[in-house]
Amino acid sequence: MDEEYDAIVLGTGLKECILSGMLSVSGKKVLHIDRNQYYGGECASITPLEELFSRFGIPALDETYGRGRDWNVDLIPKFLMANGLLVKLLIHTGVTKYLEFKSVEGSYVYKGGKISKVPVDQKEALASDLMGMFEKRRFRNFLIFVQDVKEDDPRTWKDLDPDTTTTQQLYLKFGLDKNTQDFTGHALALYRDDEYLNEPAVQTIRRIKLYSDSLARYGKSPYLYPMYGLGELPQGFARLSAIYGGTYMLDKPVDEIVMENGRAVGIRSGEEVARCKQVYCDPAYVPDKVKKTGQVIRCICLMDHPIPNTKDALSTQIIIPQKQVNRKSDIYVSQVSYTHQVAAKGWFIAMVSTTVETDNPEAEIKPGLELLGPIKQKFVTLSDYFEPTDNGKESQIFISASYDATTHFETTCLDVLDIFKRGTGEEFDFSKVKHELGDEEQ
């Protein structure tokens, strides 16, 4: 360990693993350390199932759950957008050769106590039960406009400048009612609250295009999920790093980040010191350089049936827009199952999550839990959400934010790209990503 590295990465959470992969691929010598004995940090996959029960202090399970080894339960499950940032980063780093993805079967939105499929093209818009007849036509016209807009061709803008028009003004131009705005902003554009309404429409247009481009790739929904769970991602990156000459160490205590003249120059573990030019880490390694800005509640639910009213989908996502349940932030529901090799045959794992707004967080996720039907076992976690107070420019310590309540990875990747830019001084160039997920990985 007593060597000199370009970068030392602390923690094997997904953000740190992606950064480690990006740095390795760009020719940097990387040492990657985790004080835990397992990969993944906060977003680990827990196996066998007995380990999950003991982690939450719940008495031993009975044999109805099948073999414990057949389970891989993600502590923070999230789906990948098929055409999104994470898939592009995975392809760029070459880690996709270690992973196999499966398309998620359904994408739903909650309205007035029940769930409906998210309509994404003209045909679905006209068939959707989310809107009345006249509203369907207006929404269809809106979708056609979004699909036809080219940012560099003003003729496609229909007298609207997407950079100066707000999303609210765009909705008004097409006469979309509040309910339609709700599912468009939260289930298609995947915004977490309504701040976006006053921001330039171009951002919303890009997000809806991403959703429909992702959907076009595999059909049933725009989301993908790796076989054997998200724990496969950090392990894929560990293999990748080794190929590029990087070093991984698990179960290695990190006693201090060594500073000289206000800059990080290495890390100490016991008597050993590894020197470096930069440190990348998650908030747990630098409690003095982060601030708590909120909390996220997550409830993992083991069930022996699919979520009702999803056409028996073996995997699905449901978004409950905040206005539907008088909240400031959305509630997210996701479900995966034995078909992804993350549960024993016939079993399903659902997750309900949201940003905490009251002093009774469990009551806040009730609307999500009520959609699930009978639940065999629940595991509730309340996690603090930390953001860095140091941008790393002086200290050369680059810190990720905690994982938010969303059930997709787009916000995670924005944080990774921001850290990459702060650390390397340059934007990540997506034009370097030449190839796409192979046909064999659908």
Side-chain angles (χ1 to χ4, degrees), residues 193-223:
D193 53 42
D194 276 351
E195 300 289 308
Y196 80 97
L197 289 169
N198 301 314
E199 289 169 9
V202 67
Q203 293 171 11
T204 302
I205 290 168
R206 280 180 196 154
R207 283 171 168 236
I208 297 172
K209 278 181 185 284
L210 167 64
Y211 189 101
S212 55
D213 291 348
S214 297
L215 186 75
R217 191 148 278 195
Y218 300 118
K220 295 174 186 167
S221 87
Y223 301 109

Short mmCIF file of all heavy atoms in Angstrom, two decimals, residues 193-223:
data_model
loop_
_atom_site.label_atom_id
_atom_site.label_comp_id
_atom_site.label_asym_id
_atom_site.label_seq_id
_atom_site.Cartn_x
_atom_site.Cartn_y
_atom_site.Cartn_z
N ASP A 193 -39.82 17.56 -7.70
CA ASP A 193 -40.75 18.53 -7.11
C ASP A 193 -41.18 19.49 -8.23
O ASP A 193 -40.88 19.24 -9.40
CB ASP A 193 -40.10 19.28 -5.93
CG ASP A 193 -38.77 19.89 -6.33
OD1 ASP A 193 -38.68 20.45 -7.44
OD2 ASP A 193 -37.81 19.82 -5.53
N ASP A 194 -41.86 20.58 -7.88
CA ASP A 194 -42.40 21.45 -8.93
C ASP A 194 -41.57 22.70 -9.21
O ASP A 194 -42.02 23.61 -9.89
CB ASP A 194 -43.85 21.85 -8.58
CG ASP A 194 -44.83 20.76 -9.03
OD1 ASP A 194 -44.38 19.84 -9.74
OD2 ASP A 194 -46.02 20.83 -8.67
N GLU A 195 -40.34 22.73 -8.71
CA GLU A 195 -39.47 23.88 -8.99
C GLU A 195 -39.25 24.05 -10.50
O GLU A 195 -39.04 25.15 -11.00
CB GLU A 195 -38.09 23.68 -8.33
CG GLU A 195 -38.13 23.53 -6.81
CD GLU A 195 -38.48 24.84 -6.13
OE1 GLU A 195 -37.81 25.83 -6.41
OE2 GLU A 195 -39.44 24.86 -5.34
N TYR A 196 -39.27 22.91 -11.21
CA TYR A 196 -38.93 22.91 -12.64
C TYR A 196 -39.88 23.77 -13.48
O TYR A 196 -39.53 24.21 -14.57
CB TYR A 196 -38.93 21.47 -13.18
CG TYR A 196 -40.31 20.92 -13.48
CD1 TYR A 196 -40.81 20.96 -14.77
CD2 TYR A 196 -41.12 20.40 -12.47
CE1 TYR A 196 -42.08 20.47 -15.05
CE2 TYR A 196 -42.38 19.92 -12.74
CZ TYR A 196 -42.85 19.95 -14.03
OH TYR A 196 -44.11 19.49 -14.32
N LEU A 197 -41.09 24.01 -12.96
CA LEU A 197 -42.10 24.75 -13.75
C LEU A 197 -41.61 26.14 -14.14
O LEU A 197 -41.99 26.67 -15.18
CB LEU A 197 -43.41 24.87 -12.96
CG LEU A 197 -44.20 23.55 -12.80
CD1 LEU A 197 -45.32 23.72 -11.79
CD2 LEU A 197 -44.75 23.09 -14.14
N ASN A 198 -40.74 26.72 -13.31
CA ASN A 198 -40.26 28.07 -13.59
C ASN A 198 -38.90 28.07 -14.28
O ASN A 198 -38.30 29.13 -14.49
CB ASN A 198 -40.16 28.87 -12.28
CG ASN A 198 -41.52 28.93 -11.60
OD1 ASN A 198 -42.52 29.20 -12.27
ND2 ASN A 198 -41.57 28.63 -10.31
N GLU A 199 -38.42 26.90 -14.65
CA GLU A 199 -37.13 26.81 -15.34
C GLU A 199 -37.34 26.66 -16.84
O GLU A 199 -38.45 26.36 -17.29
CB GLU A 199 -36.33 25.63 -14.77
CG GLU A 199 -35.84 25.92 -13.35
CD GLU A 199 -35.28 24.70 -12.66
OE1 GLU A 199 -35.10 23.65 -13.32
OE2 GLU A 199 -35.00 24.80 -11.45
N PRO A 200 -36.28 26.88 -17.67
CA PRO A 200 -36.45 26.83 -19.13
C PRO A 200 -37.04 25.49 -19.60
O PRO A 200 -36.64 24.42 -19.13
CB PRO A 200 -35.02 27.01 -19.65
CG PRO A 200 -34.31 27.74 -18.56
CD PRO A 200 -34.92 27.27 -17.28
N ALA A 201 -37.96 25.59 -20.55
CA ALA A 201 -38.67 24.41 -21.05
C ALA A 201 -37.72 23.41 -21.70
O ALA A 201 -38.02 22.22 -21.76
CB ALA A 201 -39.75 24.84 -22.04
N VAL A 202 -36.59 23.88 -22.19
CA VAL A 202 -35.67 22.99 -22.91
C VAL A 202 -35.26 21.81 -22.04
O VAL A 202 -35.11 20.68 -22.53
CB VAL A 202 -34.44 23.77 -23.43
CG1 VAL A 202 -33.55 24.27 -22.28
CG2 VAL A 202 -33.63 22.93 -24.40
N GLN A 203 -35.14 22.03 -20.72
CA GLN A 203 -34.72 20.93 -19.84
C GLN A 203 -35.80 19.86 -19.76
O GLN A 203 -35.51 18.66 -19.79
CB GLN A 203 -34.40 21.48 -18.44
CG GLN A 203 -33.18 22.37 -18.45
CD GLN A 203 -32.98 23.11 -17.12
OE1 GLN A 203 -33.64 22.80 -16.13
NE2 GLN A 203 -32.09 24.07 -17.11
N THR A 204 -37.06 20.30 -19.66
CA THR A 204 -38.17 19.34 -19.61
C THR A 204 -38.27 18.58 -20.93
O THR A 204 -38.48 17.36 -20.95
CB THR A 204 -39.49 20.08 -19.32
OG1 THR A 204 -39.34 20.79 -18.08
CG2 THR A 204 -40.66 19.13 -19.21
N ILE A 205 -38.09 19.30 -22.04
CA ILE A 205 -38.15 18.66 -23.37
C ILE A 205 -37.08 17.57 -23.47
O ILE A 205 -37.35 16.44 -23.90
CB ILE A 205 -37.99 19.72 -24.48
CG1 ILE A 205 -39.24 20.61 -24.53
CG2 ILE A 205 -37.74 19.07 -25.84
CD1 ILE A 205 -39.10 21.86 -25.37
N ARG A 206 -35.87 17.89 -23.03
CA ARG A 206 -34.77 16.91 -23.08
C ARG A 206 -35.10 15.68 -22.25
O ARG A 206 -34.83 14.54 -22.65
CB ARG A 206 -33.48 17.52 -22.52
CG ARG A 206 -32.76 18.41 -23.49
CD ARG A 206 -31.49 18.97 -22.82
NE ARG A 206 -30.98 20.11 -23.55
CZ ARG A 206 -30.26 21.08 -23.01
NH1 ARG A 206 -29.99 21.06 -21.71
NH2 ARG A 206 -29.80 22.07 -23.73
N ARG A 207 -35.70 15.90 -21.07
CA ARG A 207 -35.99 14.77 -20.19
C ARG A 207 -37.08 13.87 -20.76
O ARG A 207 -37.02 12.65 -20.63
CB ARG A 207 -36.42 15.29 -18.81
CG ARG A 207 -35.24 15.78 -17.97
CD ARG A 207 -35.74 16.47 -16.71
NE ARG A 207 -34.69 16.70 -15.74
CZ ARG A 207 -34.70 16.28 -14.48
NH1 ARG A 207 -35.73 15.58 -14.04
NH2 ARG A 207 -33.72 16.55 -13.66
N ILE A 208 -38.10 14.47 -21.38
CA ILE A 208 -39.16 13.64 -21.98
C ILE A 208 -38.60 12.87 -23.17
O ILE A 208 -38.93 11.69 -23.38
CB ILE A 208 -40.37 14.51 -22.39
CG1 ILE A 208 -40.99 15.16 -21.14
CG2 ILE A 208 -41.43 13.68 -23.13
CD1 ILE A 208 -42.07 16.19 -21.43
N LYS A 209 -37.72 13.50 -23.92
CA LYS A 209 -37.09 12.80 -25.05
C LYS A 209 -36.26 11.61 -24.54
O LYS A 209 -36.27 10.54 -25.14
CB LYS A 209 -36.16 13.75 -25.83
CG LYS A 209 -36.87 14.65 -26.85
CD LYS A 209 -35.82 15.51 -27.55
CE LYS A 209 -36.39 16.52 -28.50
NZ LYS A 209 -36.83 15.94 -29.78
N LEU A 210 -35.54 11.82 -23.44
CA LEU A 210 -34.74 10.73 -22.87
C LEU A 210 -35.65 9.55 -22.51
O LEU A 210 -35.32 8.40 -22.79
CB LEU A 210 -33.99 11.20 -21.62
CG LEU A 210 -33.36 10.08 -20.78
CD1 LEU A 210 -32.27 9.35 -21.56
CD2 LEU A 210 -32.79 10.63 -19.48
N TYR A 211 -36.79 9.86 -21.90
CA TYR A 211 -37.73 8.81 -21.50
C TYR A 211 -38.19 8.03 -22.73
O TYR A 211 -38.15 6.80 -22.77
CB TYR A 211 -38.92 9.43 -20.76
CG TYR A 211 -39.85 8.42 -20.11
CD1 TYR A 211 -39.78 8.17 -18.74
CD2 TYR A 211 -40.81 7.73 -20.84
CE1 TYR A 211 -40.62 7.26 -18.13
CE2 TYR A 211 -41.66 6.82 -20.25
CZ TYR A 211 -41.57 6.58 -18.89
OH TYR A 211 -42.41 5.67 -18.29
N SER A 212 -38.62 8.77 -23.76
CA SER A 212 -39.17 8.06 -24.92
C SER A 212 -38.07 7.38 -25.74
O SER A 212 -38.28 6.30 -26.30
CB SER A 212 -40.03 8.98 -25.80
OG SER A 212 -39.30 10.11 -26.17
N ASP A 213 -36.86 7.96 -25.78
CA ASP A 213 -35.75 7.28 -26.48
C ASP A 213 -35.38 5.99 -25.75
O ASP A 213 -35.06 4.98 -26.37
CB ASP A 213 -34.50 8.18 -26.53
CG ASP A 213 -34.71 9.39 -27.44
OD1 ASP A 213 -35.70 9.39 -28.19
OD2 ASP A 213 -33.88 10.32 -27.38
N SER A 214 -35.42 6.04 -24.42
CA SER A 214 -35.11 4.84 -23.63
C SER A 214 -36.17 3.77 -23.85
O SER A 214 -35.87 2.59 -23.96
CB SER A 214 -35.03 5.19 -22.14
OG SER A 214 -33.98 6.10 -21.88
N LEU A 215 -37.42 4.22 -23.91
CA LEU A 215 -38.53 3.30 -24.13
C LEU A 215 -38.40 2.63 -25.50
O LEU A 215 -38.63 1.44 -25.67
CB LEU A 215 -39.85 4.06 -24.04
CG LEU A 215 -41.09 3.19 -24.10
CD1 LEU A 215 -41.28 2.47 -22.78
CD2 LEU A 215 -42.33 4.02 -24.40
N ALA A 216 -38.01 3.44 -26.51
CA ALA A 216 -37.92 2.94 -27.88
C ALA A 216 -36.88 1.82 -27.97
O ALA A 216 -36.95 0.95 -28.83
CB ALA A 216 -37.52 4.08 -28.82
N ARG A 217 -35.94 1.82 -27.03
CA ARG A 217 -34.84 0.86 -27.12
C ARG A 217 -35.29 -0.57 -26.84
O ARG A 217 -34.90 -1.50 -27.50
CB ARG A 217 -33.78 1.28 -26.12
CG ARG A 217 -32.52 0.55 -26.29
CD ARG A 217 -31.36 1.41 -25.93
NE ARG A 217 -30.96 2.27 -27.00
CZ ARG A 217 -29.80 2.88 -27.02
NH1 ARG A 217 -28.97 2.73 -26.04
NH2 ARG A 217 -29.47 3.67 -28.02
N TYR A 218 -36.10 -0.76 -25.80
CA TYR A 218 -36.48 -2.14 -25.45
C TYR A 218 -37.97 -2.38 -25.33
O TYR A 218 -38.40 -3.47 -25.02
CB TYR A 218 -35.82 -2.54 -24.12
CG TYR A 218 -34.33 -2.48 -24.17
CD1 TYR A 218 -33.62 -1.62 -23.35
CD2 TYR A 218 -33.63 -3.26 -25.07
CE1 TYR A 218 -32.24 -1.55 -23.41
CE2 TYR A 218 -32.26 -3.20 -25.15
CZ TYR A 218 -31.57 -2.34 -24.32
OH TYR A 218 -30.21 -2.27 -24.41
N GLY A 219 -38.79 -1.33 -25.49
CA GLY A 219 -40.22 -1.61 -25.52
C GLY A 219 -41.00 -1.36 -24.26
O GLY A 219 -41.49 -0.28 -24.06
N LYS A 220 -41.07 -2.33 -23.34
CA LYS A 220 -42.08 -2.29 -22.28
C LYS A 220 -41.99 -1.05 -21.38
O LYS A 220 -42.99 -0.51 -20.97
CB LYS A 220 -41.95 -3.53 -21.40
CG LYS A 220 -42.26 -4.81 -22.14
CD LYS A 220 -41.98 -6.01 -21.26
CE LYS A 220 -42.15 -7.31 -22.02
NZ LYS A 220 -41.59 -8.43 -21.27
N SER A 221 -40.79 -0.66 -20.99
CA SER A 221 -40.63 0.55 -20.17
C SER A 221 -39.23 1.07 -20.47
O SER A 221 -38.44 0.39 -21.09
CB SER A 221 -40.77 0.22 -18.67
OG SER A 221 -39.52 -0.17 -18.15
N PRO A 222 -38.92 2.30 -20.04
CA PRO A 222 -37.60 2.83 -20.38
C PRO A 222 -36.50 2.35 -19.44
O PRO A 222 -35.35 2.72 -19.57
CB PRO A 222 -37.80 4.34 -20.20
CG PRO A 222 -38.85 4.47 -19.17
CD PRO A 222 -39.76 3.28 -19.35
N TYR A 223 -36.87 1.48 -18.47
CA TYR A 223 -35.92 1.14 -17.41
C TYR A 223 -35.29 -0.24 -17.59
O TYR A 223 -35.91 -1.17 -18.10
CB TYR A 223 -36.63 1.17 -16.05
CG TYR A 223 -37.24 2.50 -15.73
CD1 TYR A 223 -38.62 2.69 -15.73
CD2 TYR A 223 -36.43 3.60 -15.44
CE1 TYR A 223 -39.18 3.92 -15.44
CE2 TYR A 223 -36.98 4.84 -15.16
CZ TYR A 223 -38.35 5.00 -15.16
OH TYR A 223 -38.90 6.22 -14.88
#
